[in-house]
Amino acid sequence: MEAFDQPWKEELEGAVGAYWGVYNIDRQPKFEFHSPIVEIPQWHLLAAASVLVAVITLLVLFIDSETLSHKGRGFLGLMAFAAATLIVWIVYDYSQQYQNWLSAIVGLLLLIGVVGVMIVLLIEAHEWAEAIWVRQRRRVVEPMKTQEDLALPFVSIHVPAYNEPPSMMIETLDALSRLDYPYFEVVVVDNNTKDNAVWQPVKAHCEQLGERFRFFHVNPLKGFKAGALNYALQQTNPEAQIIAVIDSDYIVEPCWLRQLAPHFTDPEIAIVQAPQDYRDDSENAFKAMCYAEYRGFFHIGMVTRNERNAIIQHGTMTMVRRSVLEQVGSWGESTITEDAELGLRIFEHGHKAGYTPRSYGRGVMPDTFIDYKKQRYRWAFGAMQILREHAGALLGWNRTKLVAGQRYHFVAGWLPWIADGFNFIFNLAAIAWSLAMLFWPQEIDAPQIIFSAVPLIFFGFKMIKMFYLYGGAVRTSLRPAISAAIAGLALSHTIARAVMSGLIIGRKIAFYRTPKQTTKAALWRVLVDAREETFLVAILIGLIIAIVNQVGLDSHETLMWVIVLAVQAIPYACALLMSLISSLPQLPADLAGIMKKAEKSC
């Protein structure tokens, strides 16, 4: 022991060398010399601060929570107190260190990061509670009882297409021809397909199906899918009151319109949405994994969002009131997710939407991992475009008819994607820190345990939440839940790139159509389709090996940091695994676990 702390010794002896003293640098005793030593003398102040922060947090979480059961409220209370305690402890622990200007800036940045992680964690906890522990749902869209034909609205079904396989589209049109509904038309718009052999068979089939089916081939046509839908709106029968949209690969159930269109008898309803669903999940292991990942959003996130009239409108299996669609300016062409953007605009005008988790139509999934990634990139990039474009409305700066619950769900719903973007920045910083530990071991130690623990807690919480919700809300077994987790983690880097491009850089990209019935990826493309993820996982594993060999695991801080690097490598390893499975279409779906489909609605 030494008489006084000497921070300058940190350069020679590491972090511990600065704190050997009985007195601190200001010549004040660190503890009472003639009474029992209390490790944290200010414990009562820290406890009071934790309680205060937790109570404030809990009051926010309990807003509009009358449907939560006692278990749900207790769970949120536990999470609020745990998060508050962790934040207060981190602030206190870091405040006990000797600071220079650089360490103070680093500490501030770390604190901001920890608070951000805690906010996302509490949002995830809130969704968990509202997905499982509710006494009853406030807004439920059930199949309507059969009404007299004369009371049913005329529906115009729009099918946009670009370079789609003719046989697939013919199958889609045949399903529409079997609809058990008296008043409907089908408007097919093929935009910008160059090959006549692709679109002409579809046009001929529409003519065979009769006057209800009208086909338009337009080349050139600007605006991508939104442009095609706006063109279809111009060709719509004047009697049509409802506009329905399906993708060109969807096989709809005969009762789709019969059971859902009558909901528009409520004049406040502007959107009725059914899930995006798929029929080819049993084709191979890759598609079974994709299907498990897709399923969570439509049976968890959309159900909870519907409680506050805040669903994400997605561009298939959707119906929208024509008068409202025209009132808000039709389909927007400023973003690449025109469906979600339109839904938000409709909410900004004060209209309502209804969502049913019942499946009324099923399409096909991407055939390859690279297409799976590109589809999610478009969704995440488009979401960031919407956030930028509607920031004023979502933050309450612009006067709209959005209510607090809707603002919450649109911002909170995309925060986990934003967190993926900042997690990528954290990974780059972690790589730089690890390299500094290797090149300057005397000056740079592993981060404090408390900071390393935060990403581990967050990752563990998300995994536990996913498995719990898949068992409770999605009602599936462990194997599909694991498949969903792997598929979701595999997209983390793709989402991060989309967030950085869409939210920070703000550059525009072209609309990417998800190919259907494509050739499976060759084995040699495994590394090509996941090249960035492979590079990052190789770096992280290499750093782990180097730290273990050069620095060793004698300190708890270094051991914890190695664990952090290993956990951060998991999503990149999952991407490589998904790319490999995608290249092996012969792998049976049973390997990933086939999820039980809901009974047909008709």
Side-chain angles (χ1 to χ4, degrees):
M1 296 181 66
E2 298 176 350
F4 304 102
D5 286 344
Q6 302 176 72
W8 63 270
K9 285 191 173 183
E10 186 171 348
E11 296 183 5
L12 300 176
E13 303 176 7
V16 177
Y19 295 92
W20 284 118
V22 176
Y23 296 87
N24 64 23
I25 193 173
D26 297 319
R27 301 311 194 250
Q28 297 172 340
K30 293 183 178 180
F31 48 84
E32 294 292 337
F33 293 151
H34 304 291
S35 60
I37 296 176
V38 179
E39 185 175 359
I40 305 176
Q42 305 91 344
W43 67 266
H44 53 289
L45 295 177
L46 299 180
S50 297
V51 170
L52 179 61
V53 173
V55 168
I56 294 173
T57 302
L58 203 54
L59 289 175
V60 174
L61 291 175
F62 279 176
I63 295 174
D64 192 27
S65 63
E66 64 271 11
T67 60
L68 275 181
S69 66
H70 293 308
K71 286 184 178 180
R73 290 172 178 269
F75 173 74
L76 290 181
L78 177 65
M79 295 305 304
F81 276 89
T85 301
L86 184 61
I87 290 175
V88 170
W89 172 252
I90 288 175
V91 172
Y92 168 78
D93 188 66
Y94 204 77
S95 70
Q96 301 306 299
Q97 314 296 321
Y98 293 115
Q99 304 288 348
N100 55 36
W101 67 270
L102 180 59
S103 63
I105 292 175
V106 171
L108 180 61
L109 293 175
L110 288 173
L111 178 61
I112 293 172
V114 168
V115 172
V117 168
M118 290 299 107
I119 290 174
V120 176
L121 186 146
L122 290 170
I123 288 171
E124 298 270 8
H126 188 256
E127 182 184 58
W128 184 341
E130 292 204 326
I132 298 294
W133 295 301
V134 289
R135 292 191 296 269
Q136 63 180 12
R137 295 291 176 193
R138 290 177 292 190
R139 304 180 76 246
V140 180
V141 175
E142 295 288 356
M144 295 286 281
K145 295 180 180 179
T146 302
Q147 293 190 348
E148 295 293 332
D149 286 355
L150 293 177
L152 296 172
F154 190 107
V155 180
S156 181
I157 304 171
H158 296 174
V159 186
Y162 165 68
N163 203 35
E164 304 289 3
S167 60
M168 181 190 72
M169 286 205 65
I170 288 172
E171 192 177 9
T172 296
L173 296 173
D174 286 341
L176 290 172
S177 70
R178 295 190 291 269
L179 283 171
D180 177 22
Y181 196 79
Y183 311 120
F184 75 94
E185 67 170 359
V186 176
V187 179
V188 181
V189 177
D190 181 283
N191 61 314
N192 303 313
T193 299
K194 303 295 190 295
D195 189 351
N196 292 346
V198 173
W199 63 266
Q200 285 183 345
V202 181
K203 177 183 179 182
H205 195 70
C206 284
E207 293 171 352
Q208 292 177 9
L209 290 173
E211 61 182 11
R212 272 184 168 171
F213 290 75
R214 294 186 290 141
F215 181 92
F216 299 89
H217 173 69
V218 189
N219 184 22
L221 180 63
K222 295 181 179 180
F224 304 108
K225 184 178 179 180
L229 290 173
N230 284 329
Y231 182 88
L233 186 60
Q234 296 171 10
Q235 315 306 320
T236 298
N237 190 315
E239 296 181 7
Q241 299 167 265
I242 310 300
I243 304 298
V245 179
I246 66 167
D247 285 344
S248 58
D249 58 316
Y250 265 70
I251 305 299
V252 300
E253 299 290 338
C255 62
W256 171 41
L257 299 183
R258 172 73 71 171
Q259 292 191 1
L260 296 186
H263 284 283
F264 286 95
T265 55
D266 179 353
E268 294 187 331
I269 288 290
I271 300 169
V272 174
Q273 182 78 61
Q276 189 167 312
D277 202 356
Y278 304 94
R279 63 181 186 271
D280 54 345
D281 56 299
S282 60
E283 188 173 307
N284 55 49
F286 172 72
K287 290 199 171 186
M289 296 176 76
C290 295
Y291 184 73
E293 192 270 334
Y294 285 129
R295 189 83 172 268
F297 175 72
F298 295 103
H299 289 266
I300 299 172
M302 287 287 277
V303 172
T304 57
R305 296 176 73 107
N306 186 56
E307 292 290 279
R308 295 185 180 86
N309 189 35
I311 66 168
I312 295 288
Q313 184 184 20
H314 47 88
T316 190
M317 302 309 299
T318 188
M319 289 185 277
V320 58
R321 193 182 297 273
R322 180 182 185 176
S323 60
V324 172
L325 177 59
E326 294 174 340
Q327 173 198 355
V328 302
S330 304
W331 299 90
E333 300 181 15
S334 60
T335 73
I336 58 173
T337 47
E338 73 295 322
D339 40 16
E341 193 275 335
L342 172 66
L344 180 54
R345 262 190 293 132
I346 288 174
F347 289 139
E348 289 173 358
H349 283 74
H351 301 289
K352 293 183 179 180
Y355 174 76
T356 175
R358 289 173 174 262
S359 179
Y360 286 91
R362 294 183 171 92
V364 296
M365 288 176 281
D367 292 295
T368 64
F369 181 58
I370 191 65
D371 291 331
Y372 184 51
K373 287 173 56 176
K374 288 180 178 179
Q375 181 191 62
R376 193 58 52 92
Y377 187 96
R378 178 173 66 85
W379 292 355
F381 185 93
M384 297 306 105
Q385 287 182 309
I386 294 171
L387 281 177
R388 290 168 61 94
E389 189 171 308
H390 294 262
L394 292 172
L395 297 176
W397 300 335
N398 299 342
R399 293 188 62 181
T400 67
K401 294 183 179 180
L402 286 179
V403 297
Q406 291 172 319
R407 292 193 184 97
Y408 165 77
H409 277 293
F410 272 92
V411 175
W414 286 325
L415 268 183
W417 280 358
I418 296 175
D420 280 339
F422 283 97
N423 185 64
F424 176 64
I425 296 176
F426 172 83
N427 285 341
L428 295 180
I431 291 171
W433 192 296
S434 300
L435 289 172
M437 288 173 59
L438 295 171
F439 285 103
W440 300 284
Q442 289 295 325
E443 292 81 9
I444 305 296
D445 292 323
Q448 297 176 50
I449 289 179
I450 194 68
F451 288 114
S452 296
V454 171
L456 298 181
I457 292 171
F458 184 59
F459 180 83
F461 178 84
K462 288 191 68 173
M463 291 298 99
I464 293 171
K465 173 201 169 189
M466 183 174 188
F467 290 132
Y468 194 96
L469 291 186
Y470 262 70
V474 185
R475 301 187 184 281
T476 188
S477 59
L478 180 60
R479 203 188 315 173
I482 294 174
S483 295
I486 294 173
L489 289 170
L491 295 169
S492 298
H493 181 64
T494 297
I495 293 171
R497 290 178 59 249
V499 166
M500 302 300 290
S501 298
L503 192 59
I504 299 175
I505 300 174
R507 65 182 178 85
K508 294 185 178 181
I509 62 171
F511 183 93
Y512 177 77
R513 160 193 161 271
T514 304
K516 313 295 192 310
Q517 299 179 354
T518 59
T519 304
K520 303 296 186 294
L523 186 59
W524 65 271
R525 289 201 59 87
V526 170
L527 295 179
V528 175
D529 291 347
R531 56 188 178 275
E532 293 181 13
E533 295 91 337
T534 302
F535 177 69
L536 287 166
V537 74
I539 288 179
L540 289 169
I541 292 176
L543 287 172
I544 291 172
I545 296 172
I547 290 173
V548 171
N549 290 333
Q550 182 172 325
V551 180
L553 301 178
D554 295 333
S555 72
H556 296 304
E557 288 82 2
T558 305
L559 175 60
M560 186 69 79
W561 185 243
V562 166
I563 295 173
V564 169
L565 295 178
V567 168
Q568 294 300 108
I570 291 175
Y572 304 125
C574 287
L576 182 58
L577 177 61
M578 282 292 287
S579 186
L580 175 63
I581 294 173
S582 161
S583 69
L584 299 172
Q586 68 272 22
L587 291 178
D590 288 339
L591 188 65
I594 299 178
M595 298 187 70
K596 182 180 179 182
K597 283 190 170 67
E599 295 182 2
K600 290 189 176 182
S601 300
C602 300

